[in-house]
Amino acid sequence: MTGFSFGRRLASEGLGTALLLAVVVGSGIMGQRLSGGNDALALLGNTLSTGAALVVLITLFGPISGAQFNPAVTLALLARREITPGTALAYIAAQVAGAVLGVWIAHAMFAEPILQVSTKLRAGPSQMFAEAVATFGLIGTILGVNRFRPDFTAVAVGLYITSAYWFTASTSFANPAVTLARALTDSFAGIAPASAPGFILGQLVGLGAGVAVFGWLLASDAEA
């Protein structure tokens, strides 16, 4: 990343996150329209599209900005002192702005009203716990693969999210910026604003646990 200016890195994070949300929301709309009311089929289309896009987007933007696209990942790197607080704050702002833009792009592509608010409730302790588990696993995937097989990170993250869509009760948002942006779409991928704080709280818990557990697990005896 040293060969790219800070402005280009911020643009990379914003654009990458925007494209990710366009995929998440757009594939959800397409899946719902084509599935004939079969939510399992709609979710399958949403899952495969998101997982595939993550591999491409991380491969494309990773060399520029690290392709974090996620405040939880950025905060994990901050906790590990791999980036500065100023960089982390700027990255998070770019990610949130990009996520909202991506939702609007998806709405425009499918001739939906640009400005929406979701009415899809995703509430309850089980949903919050699912987000903690999803984020914990994502942080572990990134830290572990970056250490042992950095060239495989894009594929590993795509595969993990593809799996986590189905094994978590919340369908694995695992991303505060994604959660905030998905509150702005009343489509298949939406989450009601009232449910978003619980999801974000679960994500932060999973983030903290992931940094602590995998930071310990991946440290050599000399580093420890």
Side-chain angles (χ1 to χ4, degrees), residues 60-211:
L60 172 61
F61 293 103
I64 304 173
S65 65
Q68 296 168 28
F69 307 152
N70 185 338
V73 175
T74 301
L75 290 173
L77 297 179
L78 177 62
R80 292 169 58 82
R81 300 180 182 177
E82 296 182 23
I83 58 173
T84 66
T87 298
L89 182 61
Y91 267 39
I92 290 171
Q95 291 157 1
V96 172
V100 173
L101 177 61
V103 169
W104 292 345
I105 289 170
H107 289 167
M109 287 193 294
F110 287 91
E112 294 281 338
I114 301 299
L115 301 179
Q116 302 180 24
V117 176
S118 178
T119 57
K120 189 170 185 177
L121 290 172
R122 300 174 184 261
S126 62
Q127 295 279 307
M128 294 170 62
F129 180 63
E131 278 302 288
V133 171
T135 309
F136 176 84
L138 177 62
I139 296 300
T141 298
I142 292 171
L143 295 182
V145 177
N146 275 345
R147 167 144 189 174
F148 300 120
R149 284 283 307 277
D151 59 313
F152 193 68
T153 300
V155 176
V157 171
L159 289 174
Y160 175 77
I161 292 298
T162 298
S163 174
Y165 258 65
W166 287 84
F167 82 75
T168 63
S170 61
T171 66
S172 184
F173 286 40
N175 185 328
V178 166
T179 303
L180 291 172
R182 286 171 68 166
L184 301 178
T185 180
D186 199 24
S187 64
F188 182 78
I191 177 174
S195 302
F199 266 52
I200 293 173
L201 177 60
Q203 291 156 9
L204 294 177
V205 171
L207 156 67
V211 169

Side-chain angles (χ1 to χ4, degrees), residues 33-62:
R33 289 183 179 182
L34 297 179
S35 65
N38 186 328
D39 284 345
L41 189 58
L43 181 61
L44 180 61
N46 194 202
T47 301
L48 295 176
S49 181
T50 301
L54 275 169
V55 175
V56 175
L57 292 174
I58 294 171
T59 300
L60 172 61
F61 293 103

